[in-house]
Every structure is written in C-alpha cells, then in structure tokens.
Amino acid sequence: MTTRISLSPPARAQLDACVHCGFCLPACPTYRVLGNEADSPRGRIALVAGLLDGSVQSDDSAARLHLSRCLDCRTCESVCPSKVGYGRIIEDVRAQLGPGDLPRPLRWGLGALLRRPRRLELMRHPLRLAHRLGVLPAIVRRTLGPDAAALGAAVTLPPASARSLLPLSLTPARAPRGQVTLLLGCVMDLVFPRVNWATAAVLARAGFAVRTPRDQGCCGALHLHAGERARARELARSLIDSLGTEGPVVVNSAGCSSAMKGYGELLADDPAYAQRALRFAQGVRDLAEFLDPLPLSGWRRLDLRLTYADPCHLAHAQGIREAPRRLLARAGLDPLPLAEADACCGAAGVYNLVHPHIAGGILERKIESVRASGADTLVTANPGCHLQLKRGAVRHGWPGRVYHLAEVLAAAMGEAPPEALGGGSWPQIP
Amino acid sequence: MAADPLIAELLAIVGPEGVLSSPAELSVYASDGNPLWRALPRAVVLPREHGEVEQVMATLFRHGVPVVARGAGTGLSGGALPVPGGVIVGMNRMNRVLAIDPDNRRALVESGVINAQLSAAARAWGLEFAPDPSSQAACTVGGNVAENSGGAHCLKYGVTSQHILALEVVQADGRALWLGSPHRETPGLDLRGLFVGSEGTMGVCTRLWVRLIPLRASVETVLAMFDRVEDASEAVSGVIASGVLPAALEMMDQLAIAAVERGTHPVGFPADLGAVLLLEVDGGEEQCAEDTADILAQLQRRRPRAVVRADRPAQRELWWQNRKTAFGSMGRIAPAYYVQDGVIPRTALVDVLRRVTRVGEGAGLRIANVFHAGDGNLHPLILFDPRTPGSVERVLSAGTEVLAACVEAGGAISGEHGIGVEKREEMRFMFSEQDLALMDRVRLAMDPTGRMNPGKLLPTPGRCIDRPGLEAPAAPGS
C-alpha cells in the first residue's frame, strides 16, 4: 500500500540544506561496506526526495530496503559541510514507513517489554535459568535468529539489577554539592547493571546525591530509531513524569542521552507536555559530559593499555568526543590512538539483529582497528556498542576486555561492585 | 527486470549486489555533484575487479549501450550525468591501494580509491599524492584522472596529469591496455597524457600507477584578512611578483566567508570582512622561513586588517577544512548553488571580479566567490532557489556570462572541474571549428563506437562535425 510521505518543517529544512556534494559518502559505514550510493546518506536523501515528490512510491521495496539499512549513526552529520541534520530526516521518514522489516518477536519486545521495565526485570530469572540449562541459545535462535543468539552468548545476565540494589537516594560521604537523577535504562539494567552501579558510585564520589526513581522506564530511543515514533512519544512522556524536570538527569547510555536531549522537539506538538519536555531536555547530561568539568580525586593506578571507541550517539549526535578521553587521561589512562575511533561498530539499536550481514562487516572492521591499536582494554559508553563489541571480540578472536567508561572510572577510584551484579572481570588495582 | 536480457547478463558477471535496475535505485545515480542536470540510466553496474570490468564492457559493447564511468559522483560539471538508455559503471568498489613502492615513489592503485585515503596510506612511507581537490575526502583518483583535477596545492605541484605514470584502460569493446609506463617517460605518442582529462570518453580506467611526493619537511600557513576584495587581489599579485612560489594561495570573499562560518569548521572570521587569503609555503626550513618573511612583507603593504600565522598543526588543519568545505557549506546560506570554474590572468582579478558582481546584480542573483587566487582559477558560486520558476535558466545564463568575461580577459572556461555536459557549448568561446573537429577525430580514434560518455566534453555533434552513429545510441533492449 502506498502512503503519502511528507516531512515536518524542521526535517524539510534539513533536506533542503543538502547541496549534493557527496562528502558524506566515505564517512557512511554502510556505504563503506556495500559500495552502493543508495546505501549512503546522499543516496538516501535522494530516495526521500523521490518519496516526497512522488517519483518513488512508498511501497517500493528497493527504497524501503535502502532506507532501513541506515544505521542512524549520524556520522554523516559530523562531516557535512552544510550541517544537514540527516538523523531528523531519516527518523521522520521511518516513522511514516513503519517498522517494515523488524522481526515480529523484536517488535513485540520493543512494544511490550521495554514499556514496563519491571516486566523486563521479570524475565531475568527465567533467562538465567534457561542459560544455565543450556537451552537459551536455542530459544533465542528460534525467536530472534542466529545473530541474536550469538549476541546473547557474548554476555551472561547478572543475578540482580542495579534497580534492586541501589538505595533510592545514594548520598556521598561528605555534604553533597548537589543532587542528580540517574537514568537506569532498560537494556542497561538488564544486561549491565554493574555499569549503573558504577555510575552511581562515581557520581557519589564526585560529591552528588544520586536519586534513582524506581518507576522509571525506557527512554524510547530504540523505538525512535526503528520508526516507532508514537511509542517513543508515549515513553518520553512517562519518563518525564517519573524523573521530574528539576534536573540534572545523568545518563550513561549515549543512545538514551541523545534521544532525551531531543524530547523538546519530539513532544513539541503536545500541549500538555511541550514546555516540560523542553525543560527536561535541557537538564539531560551524558555521564562524560557531566563529569568532565568537575574536580575528581582519589585516583589509583590501573594497569591497563586501553583505547576508546566513540559511541555514534555521543560523538556524532551530541558532539561529545574529548570529555571521555579527558576523564580517562585524568585517571592516568590516556587512551591509545584508535583508527576510525568514531566509526560505527554496527550495533545501532536493534540494527545488528535486523541486518546481521551488514552489521557483521562493520563490526569486523572495528575489531581489526582495535587489534591494530595494541590495546588490551576497549572502553565505550553505550550498552548497544558494549554488547556488540563484546560479541565482536569473541567472534574475531580479540583477547581484550570491553568496559563502559563508568566501570573504568569507578575502578580507578578504588570502588568494587557487589557480587550480585555479576562476577566476571573488573579492572583491578595491581 | 529479469525481462531485460542485458540486466540478466550483467547479473551473471557481477552478482545481484552489483547491478541496480529498480527505478528508486537508479534515481540515486541521476546526477553527480551538480544536481542541475538529472537523467536516469538504464542500469548501474558496480564491479569489484578489473576482470569484471572487461566482461561488463564487452557485454555493453555487444548490446551497443552507451557507457558512463562514475567515481564518487562529486564532479561539478555533470561529467558523470547518466546518458538516457546508457549504463553507469560505478568504480567506487574498486578502491584498494594495491602496492606502494616507496623507493621509486609510486603506487599502484585501483581507480576507485579515494584521494585522501591514498595519501593516508602513502604517509606511512613519508609520501603523499599531491593533487588535493577540495573534495579529496570523498572523490576518487579515477575521477581526478577523468577531470584532470587540480586542488589548492596544484599552484606549486601541478595538476593530476603531472602525477600519473600509467593507466590500465578498458576500451569500449572490452579489451584492456596500458597507457604510459610505471618506469619513466615512454617514446611515441603520449596516450597517457591524452587520456588524463578525457572525461570518460576514451575508456574506463581500472588501475593506475601514480607518482607520490615526499611529505613536506617544513610548512608555514598564513591567514590574511582584508576589508576590501581589491586589497586582497593586489596582495595576491604582490606575492607572486615578489618571486615566491607559494604551495597554495586561496581567497574567499564576504559571502563565501558567511557560508563557511555557518558550516562545520568555522574559523571565527569577523562578519564584515571583505576577503580572506589563505597562503601556504613549504620546503626546507630555511627556504620556508625566508618565503614566509617575503610573503608577510607583501601582505602588510596592502592594508590588511589582520595577518595570522598558524602556530600548531591543528590550527592549519582547521583553516584548510574551513576552505575545503566552502562549496558544500553553501547549503547554509542558500537552497542550491551553481559553481563556475573560469581561469583568468591574475592581473585581471580585480576587473573580472567587478564584472562577476555586475552579472549577479543584473540577474538578481547573489554570487559568492572562492578562488585558487594563485593560479587565477575563479569559482563564482551562484546562489539560487531551484523552486523559483525560471531560476535555473537565469543561473545558467549568468554562468555563461561569467565564462565569457574570463575568456575576454585572456583566460579559459575551466581550470579543474572539466567541461562535462555543462560547458560543452562554451568550448566554442576558446576553440575554432577546426580545433573541435580535430579533438573529435582523436576521440573517435580512441572510441570508434562513440558510446563512451557521449554528449560530454565536446559541443553537440552535427554542429561542428558530422558523426554518424553517435547521435542516436542503440535503443534500450536492442
């Protein structure tokens, strides 16, 4: 069925700013792997222009395929001389084309599970049991395909969530210099609760009281990228309700902080929420961005040769590149140079499950640059990248460890996580 | 799709991911870096190996289909514009550096390799590829060959042709041959030189040996800001007359500055600046220091508002990024632009600029100016909104007027962007019927079928010479 595609005025303005120069081509991860201009930002903008003027039909399978193959990594925005806000265009169009090729179980997962974090939490024990019995890979393979199974095999779910362990409000040892609200996230607290714990620990060491409201849900970033805009709006409204607008809200997942900074625009036409969404968005800080200007002390020496891979939604969508590197350097862990450090790893929300072949090619290129860097530790700042990079390390035989920035900083401050958040490696003070 | 026997044959050669034939995908290839012209090809083929190109070309020969080779599609003269019923051979998947020979300062590359990536690879050996068009982060070396591209540093190091040793070319009938030699100058006719700048009319280059130059030992970069374009122009003449040969000498006027300052790499130029000059000298340390002193003295004589020397590599890098994204940043100040590429004697700079301004005023169009001032290569960027009825015609006719002014001042119609489809007719400003007829005969000697990028580079056939068989390429599906 053909639908008439149109762009909202802000997205239309972005499209009109493109002068067709082609500088975005070599920066685009899918173009680099596929070599087809229809899989490049300029090509996708041409497809969108065709949808708008009616020369391309909205049910055209080729157009839908190439538009769905976009990672929404926004690397192109960093190199565009005219600063075309490409992400705005692609998210607008995807919202109208619908989630086309999302596998049904994934759609169900996005729709049902992520909306209620407690439901996601209820899955923890059955999943752990299935894992222990050795039947989990088979179940995941049958529902989500072999790539999801491989992704799942790269991690073990810890016994507990940070949500269940962290106090409602964590207070620092001395009189607090202020209060922050921490986003626990959905995937983050299921798979990497230790990162949430480490984030709270580092914030407390920086002198902040940390609030972690229990009824907070998912931020809707995954839905937004997958073209489920209505659901994303719904999630944004309830997150604003549960976290409040007094700010600052500290976020340790680059994809989430990027989406939450966009709430003002996402809810601009909702009279009940427009003002609050704008105020909420202004208070959102990515963890690295929040910590960077603060005095931090009590560093201990960690014996790591680490490198840092920029999450796309931190470097390209938010322009935060130096803050994480500066924080690592302050901890005495100056990152080793990494070729194409700000190139996507192929995770991109649920992209690696929908387009495993392309994501695999992108991931391989990433792991090979990590290998060439000579590092034994890879640091990132987003759960999707974290999972994908762990999986890449296993698949391509890179022996190093992958950590979130918060974990490395917490360890370098001498903090150690409780057992319930999962054993496994923790950067040790030698 | 499957009903077209040509597509089926192409699929058999390059596989399903290598042939595009759906209307949506074809629309992506409808223009190159100049979206003023659009046309849909019959198919796009994306080979990965030289052998595939030979087979593809032989197949297209049998079907009598016109061929347009395409690199990254960053060209500005419509050189890679599809020919209706023709096939695009996209070379961008053949993007490997095959060998670097540091002792002989040369490299063997596939033609789809990206210019900046070749230089990045060569840098490990202390070498680089000299031609540096502003689009170097995206454009392919094969595209540089087709257009005989220049770049900011061509003032000192010469255009692409000076840096190409040998080319492997698949001809219209699918047979391949090498032009030139990787070793040294070859006797006989310089077919290599003939091919460079032939804009895809003589065959498809698949692999080539390029010359590499040593990384510059010492570099000094200077920014000079002026209140008036006239002062900046005089400074350019002064610098060149002083005997210094800068590696680069670039200029931007007020409107161009307004665009780059809203773009991705703002330098922080004051908004009321008339013009800015970006100069670079390089060489041995002593020579560099001496040249810099001479340049600074020349600049000071022309009442600059400020002169700044780059004090660290990151600053130099920013200044160049700012300059090199000038065209692309026009989207910040206008919905579309059309850039001309005239060349004039440096001494005529002030006069020609005045004429360009008058052309803009006459047509009611804003014109931003970006030039390779050192070699008199103008890039007037005519700004417009394609949705305004009649705007494209006005823009094109203003462009033609600008070129006429360049030729009248003793210059040329193209410095580095090529003729493409855009300036075919303006070739008559520079060449007689006899000149054009000779070029046409040479072109037909290299491609007797007349199927290689027809309708580009030379004026429309029939008006300068009768070329049977070229006006009507075989119909699709024949």
Side-chain angles (χ1 to χ4, degrees), chain B residues 349-361 367 401-402 404-406 408-409:
Chain B
L349 203 55
V350 175
D351 285 344
V352 174
L353 274 183
R354 279 202 196 108
R355 275 200 65 179
V356 170
T357 309
R358 276 206 302 277
V359 168
E361 284 165 0
I367 302 184
E401 271 187 70
V402 167
C406 292
E408 274 168 38

Side-chain angles (χ1 to χ4, degrees), chain A residues 95-311:
Chain A
Q96 295 172 66
L97 290 179
D101 45 6
L102 272 192
R104 185 177 291 228
L106 205 57
R107 229 144 130 185
W108 176 79
L110 280 177
L113 284 179
L114 301 188
R115 289 164 73 181
R116 297 280 173 269
R118 219 165 291 142
R119 266 193 242 170
L120 196 61
E121 193 48 43
L122 288 177
M123 297 290 287
R124 179 183 301 277
H125 293 290
L127 283 173
R128 278 175 54 84
L129 182 67
H131 183 83
R132 252 206 315 277
L133 297 175
V135 295
L136 184 62
I139 296 172
V140 177
R141 192 173 298 116
R142 282 198 41 199
T143 50
L144 288 173
D147 287 85
L151 205 61
V155 288
T156 323
L157 287 190
S161 63
R163 185 187 297 272
S164 62
L165 288 189
L166 282 173
L168 255 178
S169 182
L170 178 70
T171 41
R174 275 168 297 175
R177 53 187 297 159
Q179 176 177 275
V180 296
T181 304
L182 176 62
L183 177 85
L184 294 167
C186 48
V187 174
M188 186 66 103
D189 212 39
L190 179 70
V191 183
F192 300 114
R194 205 168 77 177
V195 173
N196 277 339
W197 176 87
T199 304
V202 171
L203 288 167
R205 287 287 297 269
F208 285 85
V210 186
R211 271 177 75 225
T212 49
R214 288 301 191 263
D215 62 341
Q216 55 172 303
C218 166
C219 73
L222 292 173
H223 306 75
L224 202 56
H225 300 160
E228 304 241 25
R229 201 172 170 86
R231 278 208 170 117
R233 285 162 58 96
E234 198 182 313
L235 289 165
R237 281 188 284 256
S238 72
L239 192 63
I240 293 171
D241 288 342
S242 51
L243 298 188
T245 52
E246 301 92 80
V249 174
V250 176
V251 183
N252 56 18
S253 157
C256 305
S257 50
S258 163
M260 289 160 70
K261 285 180 179 181
Y263 277 4
E265 207 193 317
L266 185 66
L267 296 175
D269 58 356
D270 179 337
Y273 276 86
Q275 282 305 317
R276 293 174 63 202
L278 208 57
R279 204 163 56 240
F280 179 87
Q282 284 162 354
V284 173
R285 295 285 177 278
D286 190 84
L287 175 68
E289 179 186 23
F290 184 76
L291 291 176
D292 189 35
L294 297 176
L296 299 169
S297 58
W299 299 114
R300 316 230 189 132
R301 177 114 201 100
L302 288 182
D303 190 18
L304 300 176
R305 286 171 57 74
L306 60 77
T307 190
Y308 172 75
D310 296 88

Side-chain angles (χ1 to χ4, degrees), chain A residues 20 34-35 37 42 66 80 82, chain B residues 25 29 32 73 92-93 264 328:
Chain A
H20 218 254
L34 299 165
E37 189 156 330
R42 181 172 71 175
H66 296 297
C80 174
S82 275
Chain B
E25 287 169 318
Y29 287 82
D32 55 12
N92 48 288
R93 285 181 171 182
T264 321

Side-chain angles (χ1 to χ4, degrees), chain A residues 12 16-17 19-23 25-26 31 33-38 42-43 47 56 60 62-63 66 69 78 80-83, chain B residues 17 20 22 24-25 28-29 32-33 70 72-74 92-93 114 134-135 137-138 262-264 325 328-329 331-332 335 387:
Chain A
R12 177 75 219 193
D16 289 342
V19 293
H20 218 254
C21 70
F23 279 34
L25 267 56
Y31 178 77
V33 169
L34 299 165
N36 175 349
E37 189 156 330
R42 181 172 71 175
L47 291 174
V56 175
D60 185 300
H66 296 297
R69 278 177 175 178
S78 288
C80 174
S82 275
K83 293 202 206 169
Chain B
E17 290 275 330
L20 312 180
S22 88
E25 287 169 318
V28 166
Y29 287 82
D32 55 12
R70 188 181 194 266
T74 54
N92 48 288
R93 285 181 171 182
I114 292 173
S134 293
S135 58
R262 285 173 179 77
T264 321
T325 49
S329 69
R332 301 293 295 166
R387 286 168 298 190

Side-chain angles (χ1 to χ4, degrees), chain B residues 98-298:
Chain B
L98 299 170
I100 290 182
D101 174 3
D103 294 341
N104 294 299
R105 289 182 184 164
R106 61 186 183 181
L108 176 65
V109 302
E110 291 181 323
S111 63
V113 71
I114 292 173
N115 176 302
Q117 289 176 6
L118 167 58
S119 276
R123 229 161 268 143
W125 280 270
L127 300 167
E128 65 183 338
F129 183 58
D132 64 334
S134 293
S135 58
Q136 72 185 122
C139 66
T140 66
V141 171
N144 299 163
V145 167
E147 305 298 315
N148 195 11
S149 304
H153 291 83
C154 290
L155 177 56
K156 181 168 177 180
Y157 295 98
V159 292
T160 300
S161 188
Q162 269 108 308
H163 302 277
I164 302 300
L165 295 165
L167 301 150
E168 186 172 30
V169 171
V170 179
Q171 293 188 286
D173 59 5
R175 288 182 303 169
L177 79 169
W178 278 92
L179 309 178
S181 148
H183 308 295
R184 53 177 179 276
E185 293 300 316
T186 43
L189 291 178
D190 180 14
L191 298 177
R192 175 211 62 87
L194 182 62
F195 189 89
V196 178
S198 64
E199 302 193 13
T201 61
M202 295 181 176
V204 179
C205 170
T206 54
R207 291 183 282 219
L208 59 158
W209 280 97
V210 302
R211 204 188 291 278
L212 300 174
I213 62 167
L215 289 175
R216 303 169 297 159
S218 195
V219 184
E220 277 279 1
T221 313
V222 176
L223 264 188
M225 300 172 227
F226 294 87
D227 291 324
R228 299 178 337 131
V229 174
E230 289 80 359
D231 297 331
S233 306
E234 278 176 29
V236 170
S237 300
V239 167
I240 301 291
S242 75
V244 176
L245 177 59
L249 208 180
E250 302 284 304
M251 182 154 133
M252 289 187 285
D253 75 356
Q254 193 164 33
L255 196 50
I257 293 169
V260 290
E261 286 302 301
R262 285 173 179 77
T264 321
H265 306 282
V267 165
F269 295 124
D272 63 339
L273 217 51
V276 63
L277 292 182
L278 176 58
L279 304 97
E280 197 159 274
V281 293
D282 60 16
E285 211 165 305
E286 244 170 70
Q287 182 68 49
C288 209
E290 214 172 283
D291 287 354
T292 308
D294 288 351
I295 281 179
L296 291 175
Q298 286 298 332

